[in-house]
Amino acid sequence: MAVEIKKSTVAGTLSLTPLIDVVFLLLIFFLVTSEFEEQERRIDISLPTATSAVPMTSKPREIVIDINPAGTIYVGGQETTLDALQELLKNAVAANPISQTVVIRADRATAFQPVVSVMDACNRTGISDYSVTTTDGPDQ
């Protein structure tokens, strides 16, 4: 006696297209909302400490300037001079005149003059919203 197996018609009409669309939409959502490592923070700098320091949050249009212990200035991971930095800041102010911000990340062993020079370049180009980044904690 032969057993007859009936196939379900529901499984035969199941379309995978909507499922694939949902998976792709979720993938795009997570890629867009994930936070990528910024080039400016790839340089190994030991920040000085302060008791009132807060975690650095990135603003959409801020420029991060790094200064290593030797006093070399980096913007976007690329070494730059004060003249080139001032030109870059001037262009940034022209593109975003209302709320251009600058974050200065200087190594704790850096002499104070390069930091003052960067602040002076900010002032000369009309950027008054700049800050010097520190970390919260004891000296290491």
Side-chain angles (χ1 to χ4, degrees):
M1 168 170 175
V3 177
E4 188 176 324
I5 300 174
K6 294 182 180 178
K7 288 189 175 183
S8 173
T9 57
V10 175
T13 61
L14 182 63
S15 176
L16 293 179
T17 305
L19 180 64
I20 293 171
D21 288 345
V22 170
V23 170
F24 280 131
L25 285 174
L26 286 173
L27 179 67
I28 291 170
F29 172 77
F30 286 119
L31 285 175
V32 169
T33 59
S34 65
E35 191 172 315
F36 295 103
E37 181 179 352
E38 296 180 19
Q39 281 186 347
E40 295 89 23
R41 299 189 184 142
R42 289 187 185 166
I43 297 173
D44 187 29
I45 290 180
S46 299
L47 295 174
T49 58
T51 57
S52 62
V54 293
M56 185 173 128
T57 56
S58 180
K59 294 181 184 175
R61 296 186 184 124
E62 73 184 11
I63 298 172
V64 179
I65 301 171
D66 294 321
I67 306 172
N68 70 5
T72 308
I73 300 169
Y74 294 89
V75 177
Q78 301 293 322
E79 185 176 339
T80 187
T81 63
L82 274 174
D83 294 331
L85 174 66
Q86 188 165 339
E87 188 64 31
L88 179 124
L89 294 175
K90 196 181 299 182
N91 292 339
V93 168
N96 187 20
I98 296 174
S99 63
Q100 182 60 59
T101 60
V102 173
V103 175
I104 303 168
R105 297 179 66 235
D107 193 278
R108 72 177 72 183
T110 303
F112 196 58
Q113 184 58 50
V115 178
V116 171
S117 298
V118 170
M119 287 188 220
D120 187 43
C122 290
N123 289 330
R124 283 190 303 235
T125 57
I127 298 173
S128 59
D129 186 10
Y130 57 85
S131 61
V132 179
T133 305
T134 60
T135 59
D136 186 21
D139 268 347
Q140 297 175 1

